[in-house]
Amino acid sequence: MRGATADALTELEREIDAPGGGLDRLRLRRTPFVPEVRLHVAEDAIVWWARMEAHAGHALPAPYWASVWAGGQALARHLLDHPELAAGRRVLDLASGSGLVAIAAAMAGADRVVANDIDPYAVAAVTVNARANRVDVEATGGDLLDSEPDRVDLLVAGDVLYNRPLAARMLPFLRRVAATGADVLVGDPGRGHLPLDGLAVVASYPVPTTEPFVDSPVRRVQVLRPG
């Protein structure tokens, strides 16, 4: 790792090893809907973010990787319950965040797992979380959405349609990947940015809610594929 990602990894490793408790700390916890996977998450992501920005003296990306999101939980559960989807295959976890879905793919027996995210802290989080779960995941940075997709067998993407501008960029990329013959699975908790057609429901799960600013303790999450 180099540059911002290496710096982020150093920061996260220091945070993980820091003594004491409080809302502004990271803790290694089992994922509610996928207890097979443990993740370093924030007691309160907003409080942790505020402290880290104060320490850095400048703005930092929102720590989406520091919470467990419903779409990723549903996808990870689906892969572990249906390991044949990932076993022996090349898997790309797009906008990986904490790396939950990538880790589940590795646990399901994937031949190679790449977890991609534009946030250097997320790339670092994937690294420490894969290490905590004793699986091999290749964490990479950079925005892939305007590129031609590399050859993969399975692309997974949780919670990637959370606003309209992102959905407008994400959906064409997912369709381009599907056009190569790869399987594509999307985990979406009904944020309202799905197209009216073009995505088929594969499964639906009642997922415990852990992310900030959500009133309901459970969200219905669909696993979808272009079809």
Side-chain angles (χ1 to χ4, degrees):
M1 289 186 179
R2 301 180 183 178
T5 301
D7 292 343
L9 180 58
T10 299
E11 290 279 355
L12 289 194
E13 289 175 333
R14 182 167 58 241
E15 286 290 301
I16 289 167
D17 293 336
L23 293 178
D24 63 340
R25 294 296 178 187
L26 299 179
R27 292 289 178 264
L28 184 62
R29 302 206 182 278
R30 294 196 178 276
T31 305
F33 200 55
V34 196
E36 299 95 325
V37 178
R38 299 186 301 163
L39 299 173
H40 293 95
V41 294
E43 294 282 357
D44 186 308
I46 303 303
V47 175
W48 185 88
W49 187 21
R51 178 172 64 78
M52 293 299 289
E53 286 195 324
H55 174 73
H58 57 79
L60 295 173
Y64 297 119
W65 56 267
S67 300
V68 184
W69 299 87
Q73 289 197 75
L75 270 180
R77 181 75 272 148
H78 193 68
L79 292 183
L80 289 176
D81 289 349
H82 303 277
E84 69 279 2
L85 293 170
R89 307 183 82 190
R90 297 164 295 179
V91 179
L92 171 63
D93 180 15
L94 185 63
S96 185
S98 67
L100 169 60
V101 186
I103 291 166
M107 287 181 167
D111 182 60
R112 181 185 182 215
V113 183
V114 176
N116 170 264
D117 203 287
I118 61 172
D119 178 5
Y121 278 88
V123 177
V126 171
T127 301
V128 296
N129 288 330
R131 186 187 303 161
N133 289 278
R134 300 181 179 180
V135 295
D136 292 326
V137 174
E138 179 184 340
T140 67
D143 187 337
L144 302 180
L145 298 186
D146 295 324
S147 66
E148 289 303 312
D150 290 336
R151 176 65 65 179
V152 297
D153 302 307
L154 172 65
L155 183 147
V156 286
D159 295 283
V160 294
L161 306 175
Y162 56 81
N163 63 41
R164 197 168 301 281
L166 182 59
R169 294 189 64 218
M170 184 67 66
L171 288 166
F173 180 78
L174 298 180
R175 293 189 178 108
R176 290 204 306 276
V177 173
T180 69
D183 291 326
V184 175
L185 294 175
V186 178
D188 187 78
R191 299 186 190 278
H193 304 297
L194 289 172
L196 294 178
D197 55 15
L199 290 173
V201 177
V202 175
S204 180
Y205 296 95
V207 178
T209 299
T210 61
E211 66 260 35
F213 310 123
V214 177
D215 294 332
S216 173
V218 175
R219 299 189 75 165
R220 176 60 61 175
V221 182
Q222 291 181 328
V223 175
L224 308 114
R225 60 173 174 79

